[in-house]
Amino acid sequence: MPCGSTKASKIYHEIRSQVEAEGLENCFNVILVNRLLDFMGLTANEVKEAAKREVS
């Protein structure tokens, strides 16, 4: 995600807090891609379509 380290850290910790609030276990230093996409309001298909447009 294109942002500075301060904002990236805030997003990382916010997502990890959401996971913990759901009663799920956080893996060490990891967030799942789908969690980040949800946070950004995107779907995997939207990302794939954007990548296809970039190539063509």
Side-chain angles (χ1 to χ4, degrees):
M1 179 164 187
C3 62
S5 63
T6 302
K7 186 171 183 177
S9 178
K10 181 181 175 187
I11 292 168
Y12 170 81
H13 289 290
E14 188 171 331
I15 292 172
R16 289 182 63 84
S17 293
Q18 290 172 356
V19 170
E20 188 176 305
E22 293 173 18
L24 301 172
E25 184 177 347
N26 279 311
C27 296
F28 182 72
N29 289 333
V30 173
I31 58 171
L32 299 176
V33 172
N34 284 337
R35 292 270 180 182
L36 182 59
L37 291 176
D38 287 344
F39 184 87
M40 294 170 47
L42 296 170
T43 66
N45 284 336
E46 290 171 329
V47 173
K48 289 176 187 175
E49 289 302 318
K52 287 179 187 175
R53 288 192 299 272
E54 285 286 321
V55 173
S56 51

